Amino acid sequence: MSGHHSNAFAASSAANQVVEDTAKVMDKTWETVQQKTFTKWQAFCLVNTKLSAARHAEISNLLQLSDGVPLIQLLEIIGDTSLGRYNKVSRMRIQKVENVNKCLEFIRLRGVNLTNIGAEDIVDENLKLILGMIWTLILRFTIADINEEGLSAKEGLLLWCQRKTAPYHEVNVRDFTYSWADGLAFCALIHRHRPDLLDFDSLDKSDRHTNTQLAFDIASDHLNIPKLLDVEDVCDITKPDERSIMTYVAQYFHAFSELGKVDAAGRRVAKFAEVMESVWSMQNDYERRVKQLMQAIDNKKSDWENSKFRGDYADAKRQSGEFVNYKTSLKRTWVADKRDLDTLLGNIQTKLKTYDLKPYHPPHGLTPKDLDQFWKELLVAEEKRYRLINAKIRDIKEKLRQDFAKQANEFQVKVNSLSNELVLLDGDLDLQLAHVRQLTTRFGPMAEALEHIQRLDDQCVEANVEENDYTIYSADDLSFDFGLLEQATQKKSAFISNQIVSRNMTNLTPAQLEEFESTFRHFDTNQTNSLNSAEFNAALASLGIMYEDEVFAGVFAQCSQGGSEVTFEQFITFMVGVTEDRTSSDQVRQSFRIVAGDKPFVTELDLKQSMLPVAVVSYLKNSMPHDDSAHGYNYEAFLDSVFTK
């Protein structure tokens, strides 16, 4: 039974024949594809170019390698060396065998192990062995140097394909046969490295022929990858030839590797250019900023050299303030700039050294030594400017002291001189009055001189000039003395004028004149030699002359002749009239007795009860002798001293 069952599952002779026939067909197909692919291999293309140049027939069939000559030429190209002398014209079998043996020996010396193949196999045109040898050469010189994460040759190339196509969900590279049949893997490799050549998303993923043809065309036209395969070699075969696919895909690897090298080189060049541009920019920035700083220093030195002083303290102080402001602002900015420039130059040299570039030498005139020299000259100019400003301020202060002292001393001499002239007045009253009036004409210029002195004093205060060894007088001293002189002159003028008036009043006794004059001076509180309404009323009351308010208004208007004040002359004239009409010593004595209540003395209370003005009471208290025993004032003694009888 067991034997029966075994025979039941055994393939029939017809089935075995079909399998063998299919295998033969596939072998034949693969041989055709491989021969087509291998003869389009880049190395064969170079051999054909060389043969074409020598007017020889190109290799279109691998059987042409049988005499060894094209094979030697192929090996010299891919091995980049000469194989020495060989039979260039090989008509005899022995010559062909010699040539092929030279080739096989060269291949073995390059570490390529060829098994089960001899020179006779090649000479006898054994296509399968020839294809095996060519594939071995392709592996050795095209695919063996591929390395991806430690994997080499076939495994490395497969891993590279898988990594590059991983982002493409429609592509799944598992091998070098079925995975490429729809053409999408080729398109993905192109799009991954050169997306500008192909729009992967727009592809019709079901159109394998169009996709494959598109990839072959783009690779040939833009990537310099020869069309080692035809579309039907990939799309119309049940299982595409692995060797042919690997050979073709290896061209992608090398093309994109070269592209990567170019990109890397480009990046390296770009980085170098960026470094050089950065260094150039830093050098240019250094030179520009050094020039700017040097120019700014030159401008400032020129400003100082060309500056002028007006000669007054305000201008000198302004320039001193500007210098201080320069030191605390602009100068500090320059100090920071100079340090930044030192740092910038150091950074330039460090960057150049980092990239093994020649050190930077700033142009003549812009070196650190040149900048240091500019800086030293600036410091010298600063010191000179500082000393000049201080010296100018000292000179101005000294000049202010001297100017003030000269004006103050001269002014005090004039005040003293006028005071002496006023004191020494004597002789005719009219001449004295004329002299006094002439003196007052000098007060205008003296007031102007005093204003000038005050301005000088203000300048001294502004300049903080507190001590002055050239004079003992201050502006306040001079103003006070001048005020006293004006008052004394005014009083002297009023006194002389009053004396002239009194002199002309012949109908008054000297005692009366003295009484009226002293009363007038007492109530002339502002010393204008005139009395206003209130002062006039008080003066009359002190002399015992009192009016009702309505009557007094008319009396004042008549006496002042409609003016606002009564002059001394008007007062004396009024008193003359009143005295002639009403006043006698007996009348006054009787009036005091009435006020005193017939007592020999009068009290302050008596005076106040008589409704005398406060000013009159005050005057009488100061004028009458005090009676200590009676606690009052002796009006009899006062009247005796005033009246002649």
Side-chain angles (χ1 to χ4, degrees), residues 439-496:
L439 290 178
T440 58
T441 61
R442 305 183 197 175
F443 289 170
M446 289 185 69
E448 293 178 358
L450 185 61
E451 290 179 358
H452 178 60
I453 291 172
Q454 186 60 55
R455 288 193 294 271
L456 288 175
D457 184 65
D458 292 340
Q459 293 178 26
C460 289
V461 172
E462 181 186 11
N464 297 318
V465 176
E466 297 178 353
E467 72 290 338
N468 194 335
D469 296 334
Y470 300 105
T471 185
I472 61 173
Y473 305 113
S474 68
D476 287 340
D477 294 338
L478 299 176
S479 178
F480 179 76
D481 285 353
F482 183 62
L484 292 179
L485 176 62
E486 288 181 313
Q487 292 177 11
T489 304
Q490 184 180 16
K491 290 180 179 180
K492 191 69 173 178
S493 177
F495 177 78
I496 295 173

Side-chain angles (χ1 to χ4, degrees), residues 37 40-43 45 142 157 160 180 185-187 189-191 193-194 197 212-230 244-259:
T37 301
K40 293 179 181 179
W41 181 34
Q42 190 174 12
C45 292
T142 301
L157 182 60
W160 177 80
W180 305 85
F186 297 113
C187 292
L189 287 178
I190 295 174
H191 183 265
H193 295 90
R194 289 289 304 275
L197 298 179
T212 304
Q213 187 64 58
L214 177 63
F216 289 177
D217 292 341
I218 291 176
S220 175
D221 296 340
H222 298 282
L223 302 176
N224 199 29
I225 297 176
K227 295 181 180 180
L228 303 185
L229 299 169
D230 292 328
S244 300
I245 295 294
M246 283 183 63
T247 302
Y248 183 60
V249 172
Q251 306 302 307
Y252 281 72
F253 176 86
H254 290 297
F256 292 133
S257 296
E258 287 299 319
L259 182 61

Side-chain angles (χ1 to χ4, degrees), residues 7-27:
N7 290 334
F9 288 99
S12 65
S13 59
N16 289 333
Q17 183 63 44
V18 170
V19 171
E20 291 176 4
D21 292 343
T22 301
K24 291 180 180 179
V25 170
M26 288 300 297
D27 285 345

Side-chain angles (χ1 to χ4, degrees), residues 524-566:
D524 182 17
T525 56
N526 57 3
Q527 300 179 352
T528 60
N529 204 35
S530 61
L531 302 176
N532 59 32
S533 176
E535 293 170 341
F536 180 62
N537 192 14
L540 293 181
S542 70
L543 295 172
I545 304 171
M546 293 175 285
Y547 298 98
E548 296 293 335
D549 291 343
E550 306 84 38
V551 178
F552 174 76
V555 172
F556 180 79
Q558 182 182 2
C559 182
S560 65
Q561 298 178 357
S564 60
E565 294 187 341
V566 174

